[in-house]
């Protein structure tokens, strides 16, 4: 029987999100494809250092131990390398002990046409053009931002943090704020507090995470010593009275957040520095830039705020 992807959480990952490729990218930019190919052949057995999304991917894959023999999570490499130059990436994946065995090599072509075919719920890359192309085609795609984040050995928990509007939800409420101001936004959200917001780009990804949370819940019921490893947080600029609609929406979707921070203009970096997520998704660069120095951040280029001007 064919391997079923539809029942799993599938992440599509560019090598630029998983590993630090600055040195090899510089060779490609300065010397061209043939020199780059030779460089990768000569350095094939030099293991690539972890990149921004590495801690997130490592912990996400570790959740497969919850269902041995039938993985909950599948990570597929979507690479713009050709198969030859991609060997170094695959060797580095093996050297780091990551459970990634499926890969697509496209020799310079954008990977987004294959997202639906591979049942991918989230695509991550450091390439802004590829991420925007995927987003424009209606896929959940994020650009990893440069970060000096250092992972902590021995920390097995996976902490994922999301902004709400323009990430989990669509940007209709954000449009009210942008056009009419904060007071009208609060009045609008109070009037619509019992009406769920329409799903945004990462809502399907969150629903897949909820399936894993449910398995952990069942495990905790039968094993009181079990400590849950997946933790989901909402970190939003909303505050009361706009908070209620967030809860209404999550309840309607049948998903859970372990924590929610309704910050009302407080800089998110201050809370994120304590929360220490292994990845944080936001649609606004102004929220991400201060935080990206200390933790892995992903820009979701969705909605009116991210359209070219």
């Amino acid at each position: 029987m064919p391997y079923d992807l539809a029942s799993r959480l599938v992440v599509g990952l560019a090598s630029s999100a998983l590993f630090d490729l600055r040195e090899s990218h510089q060779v490609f930019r300065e010397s061209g494809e043939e020199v780059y190919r030779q460089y990768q052949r000569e350095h094939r057995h030099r293991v690539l250092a972890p990149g921004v999304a590495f801690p997130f991917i490592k912990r996400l894959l570790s959740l497969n131990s919850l269902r041995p023999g039938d993985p909950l999570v599948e990570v597929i490499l979507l690479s713009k390398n050709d198969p030859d130059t991609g060997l170094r990436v695959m060797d580095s994946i093996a050297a780091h002990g990551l459970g990634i065995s499926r890969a697509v090599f496209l020799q310079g072509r954008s990977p987004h046409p294959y997202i639906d075919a591979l049942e991918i719920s989230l695509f991550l890359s450091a390439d802004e053009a590829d991420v925007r192309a995927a987003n424009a085609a209606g896929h959940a795609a994020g650009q990893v931002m440069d970060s000096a984040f250092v992972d902590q050995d021995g920390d097995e928990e996976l902490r994922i943090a999301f902004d709400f509007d323009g990430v989990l939800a669509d940007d209709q409420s954000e449009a009210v704020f942008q056009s009419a101001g904060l007071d009208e936004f609060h009045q609008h959200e109070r009037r619509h507090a019992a009406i769920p917001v329409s799903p945004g780009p990462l809502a399907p990804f969150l629903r897949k995470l909820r399936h894993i949370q449910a398995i952990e819940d069942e495990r905790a019921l039968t094993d009181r010593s079990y400590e849950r490893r997946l933790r989901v947080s909402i970190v939003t600029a909303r505050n009361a009275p706009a908070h209620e609609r967030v809860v209404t929406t999550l309840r309607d979707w049948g998903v859970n957040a372990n924590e929610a921070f309704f910050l009302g203009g407080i800089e998110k970096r201050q809370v994120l520095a304590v929360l220490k997520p292994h990845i944080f998704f936001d649609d606004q660069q102004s929220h991400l830039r201060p935080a990206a120095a200390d933790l892995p951040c992903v820009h979701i280029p969705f909605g009116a705020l991210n359209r070219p001007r």
Side-chain angles (χ1 to χ4, degrees):
M1 291 181 61
Y3 185 71
D4 176 35
L5 290 172
S7 62
R8 311 177 200 280
L9 190 164
V10 185
V11 174
L13 190 70
S15 51
S16 60
L18 184 61
F19 294 121
D20 182 350
L21 299 181
R22 286 173 293 184
E23 184 177 309
S24 55
H25 279 179
Q26 184 175 356
V27 172
F28 182 85
R29 288 194 306 268
E30 294 179 355
S31 303
E33 186 173 354
E34 287 305 316
V35 173
Y36 169 75
R37 179 175 288 107
Q38 186 60 37
Y39 173 88
Q40 293 294 62
R41 287 176 179 174
E42 292 173 356
H43 293 80
R44 177 178 171 182
H45 300 297
R46 195 166 123 197
V47 178
L48 293 162
V52 175
F54 188 97
F56 162 65
I57 293 297
K58 177 183 176 182
R59 286 169 173 79
L60 191 66
L61 286 167
S62 75
L63 296 172
N64 283 332
S65 65
L66 292 168
R67 198 168 70 184
D70 187 13
L72 295 165
V73 175
E74 185 72 42
V75 176
I76 301 176
L77 184 72
L78 299 180
S79 175
K80 293 174 76 173
N81 281 294
D82 61 28
D84 188 334
T85 58
L87 283 176
R88 186 184 179 195
V89 174
M90 295 302 288
D91 285 356
S92 294
I93 286 171
H96 283 287
L98 297 175
I100 301 173
S101 63
R102 293 172 173 82
V104 176
F105 295 102
L106 297 167
Q107 195 179 22
R109 294 189 176 184
S110 179
H112 79 264
Y114 298 93
I115 288 177
D116 280 340
L118 296 171
E119 301 284 351
I120 288 170
S121 297
L122 174 67
F123 170 62
L124 297 177
S125 174
D127 188 316
E128 181 180 3
D130 282 347
V131 169
R132 286 190 174 275
N135 185 271
H139 304 299
Q143 180 189 3
V144 299
M145 304 182 68
D146 289 340
S147 176
F149 175 77
V150 177
D151 199 10
Q152 294 181 348
D153 292 336
D155 179 7
E156 296 184 357
E157 190 175 64
L158 169 57
R159 296 179 293 277
I160 304 176
F162 300 91
D163 181 30
F164 186 72
D165 296 283
V167 176
L168 293 176
D170 70 13
D171 67 336
Q172 293 178 2
S173 295
E174 178 67 31
V176 173
F177 171 69
Q178 294 295 328
S179 63
L182 182 60
D183 288 343
E184 178 55 34
F185 166 76
H186 279 157
Q187 292 178 35
H188 177 273
E189 293 305 289
R190 185 185 287 111
R191 291 194 300 270
H192 294 82
I195 301 173
V197 185
S198 297
L202 265 60
F205 175 62
L206 181 60
R207 289 191 180 103
K208 292 283 188 176
L209 289 176
R210 175 56 195 149
H211 178 58
I212 298 174
Q213 285 180 314
I215 291 174
E216 287 210 286
D217 290 343
E218 291 178 10
R219 177 78 172 269
L221 285 174
T222 59
D223 180 1
R224 292 187 178 181
S225 66
Y226 180 74
E227 295 184 7
R228 291 174 177 83
R229 289 147 58 191
L230 175 60
R231 196 160 193 87
V232 173
S233 303
I234 309 295
V235 182
T236 173
R238 285 175 177 249
N239 61 335
H243 69 297
E244 184 176 349
R245 200 172 184 201
V246 175
V247 178
T248 297
T249 300
L250 297 180
R251 185 182 297 160
D252 179 74
W253 294 352
V255 298
N256 287 348
N258 301 103
E259 298 151 330
F261 300 87
F262 300 104
L263 298 180
I266 297 171
E267 187 171 302
K268 293 180 180 182
R269 178 181 184 177
Q270 297 173 216
V271 166
L272 292 167
V274 179
L275 182 62
K276 293 183 172 59
H278 297 102
I279 200 158
F280 171 55
F281 300 96
D282 202 304
D283 66 319
Q284 295 191 47
Q285 294 271 13
S286 59
H287 294 159
L288 289 164
R289 288 192 194 100
D294 304 318
L295 58 95
C297 289
V298 177
H299 178 229
I300 306 298
F302 174 80
L305 290 177
N306 286 289
R307 294 191 188 112
R309 298 185 182 185

